[in-house]
Amino acid sequence: MAGPRVRLVVTADDFGYCPRRDEGIVEAFLAGAVTSVSLLVNGAAAESAADLSRRHKIPTGLHANLSEGRPVGPARLGDSSLLSPEGFFLGKMGFREAVATGGVALPQVREELEAQLIRFRELLGGDPTHVDGHQHVHVLPGGGHCSLEGGCGWTDAFVGLSTCGRHMSVHRVSGALARALEGIPTGHTLTAELMAHPGYPSVPPAGGCGKGPDAFSCSWERLHELRVLTAPTLRAQLAQDGVQLCALHDLDSKRPGEATLKTFLERSRP
């Protein structure tokens, strides 16, 4: 029997953002629609999310956050543009501008990321299965200077930008994977990750990372993603397309000669 054309990891971001979001994420995991989650350790519900992760044995990574809410590490307000005068992250665009103008002190970025790793270990009792970036700050100009880059393996393809929120549909998910397969030789199995944001809408003031939940979290779009991901039609289409769902630890996606996530974690230990 021929193997799968795609081995797909479905990662639910923002675990720990609020209890209602987490409820939907766990529902999607138990339904087999989500295979891993990324935890915001400065999220309002980080502790209860960690409990859910342990209870249900959910593969959990660190959703490294440099753009929303309060930092986990010490707030250095006087000598860094990483934070506002009120002690909050500057937001995605604020971080982009600060990096572009040289206002962010990169040693403080590393210090905050290390503080988040330490907090993750406190919550989960072990290392994350993976590390990714909240609001994609790790791929902004200059963001690659932090030591998370190069310390990880990765899948052949990443999809989800065109299927986020209201744009998620069976057709769009299938189409994104089809585009990722273009040029892949017959007989080769592509590894891919689908970014997802399922959950029930947040109800203020509960949730967020120190300022309450944002508009996207309170909207119907999170619930829409949950319904698309758990619908039998998506699973049927993925099976028809030769897509096999799996967890990150099931993939052999490390590049030869590259450092592993374990290498970075060992370097970061206090």
Side-chain angles (χ1 to χ4, degrees):
M1 181 180 296
R5 290 220 65 196
V6 180
R7 301 190 74 200
L8 180 66
V9 176
V10 182
T11 302
D13 285 352
D14 305 339
F15 197 46
Y17 195 86
C18 90
R20 284 178 56 79
R21 289 272 301 283
D22 295 345
E23 179 185 350
I25 289 172
V26 171
E27 181 179 317
F29 174 77
L30 295 177
V34 158
T35 62
S36 70
V37 300
S38 294
L39 177 67
L40 280 165
V41 295
N42 71 334
E47 292 189 6
S48 58
D51 290 340
L52 289 168
S53 175
R54 288 192 298 270
R55 187 187 315 162
H56 298 292
K57 298 181 172 58
I58 305 174
T60 304
L62 171 64
H63 205 39
N65 182 8
L66 297 171
S67 61
E68 184 177 359
R70 292 191 181 276
V72 173
R76 301 182 183 275
L77 304 179
D79 54 355
S80 172
S81 295
L82 188 61
L83 303 177
S84 71
E86 295 75 30
F88 292 95
F89 289 124
L90 298 171
K92 182 177 180 179
M93 298 311 297
F95 181 80
R96 177 194 291 269
E97 182 178 351
V99 168
T101 60
V104 169
L106 293 178
Q108 292 178 19
V109 170
R110 179 184 176 89
E111 182 180 59
E112 174 59 24
L113 294 178
E114 288 177 341
Q116 292 185 23
L117 280 168
I118 291 168
R119 180 58 177 155
F120 184 98
R121 295 188 188 106
E122 290 173 349
L123 289 169
L124 271 298
D127 290 333
T129 59
H130 63 278
V131 179
D132 53 27
H134 183 50
Q135 299 178 337
H136 304 286
V137 294
H138 60 291
V139 298
L140 294 177
H145 290 291
C146 76
S147 57
L148 287 178
E149 281 260 320
C152 312
W154 57 89
T155 56
D156 297 319
F158 175 85
V159 296
L161 293 175
S162 64
T163 62
C164 188
R166 70 187 66 192
H167 302 295
M168 180 173 280
S169 67
V170 173
H171 175 74
R172 280 180 174 267
V173 172
S174 178
L177 292 172
R179 288 190 294 275
L181 276 167
E182 292 176 0
I184 301 298
T186 302
H188 175 80
T189 298
L190 182 82
T191 61
E193 180 181 7
L194 172 64
M195 171 188 69
H197 301 87
Y200 292 100
S202 301
V203 178
C209 301
K211 284 188 173 182
D214 60 18
F216 186 32
S217 185
C218 297
S219 75
W220 57 270
E221 295 187 59
R222 304 286 188 171
L223 180 58
H224 173 73
E225 287 200 30
L226 175 61
R227 288 173 172 168
V228 172
L229 288 170
T230 56
T233 48
L234 178 60
R235 298 296 294 274
Q237 184 63 55
L238 292 177
Q240 181 178 319
D241 294 341
V243 177
Q244 179 187 73
L245 296 186
C246 60
L248 280 161
H249 59 253
D250 296 326
L251 302 180
D252 181 19
S253 56
K254 294 187 292 292
R255 307 295 183 178
E258 291 287 343
T260 65
L261 176 59
K262 181 179 179 181
T263 305
F264 171 76
L265 294 171
E266 291 295 332
R267 285 203 307 266
S268 300
R269 291 188 189 279

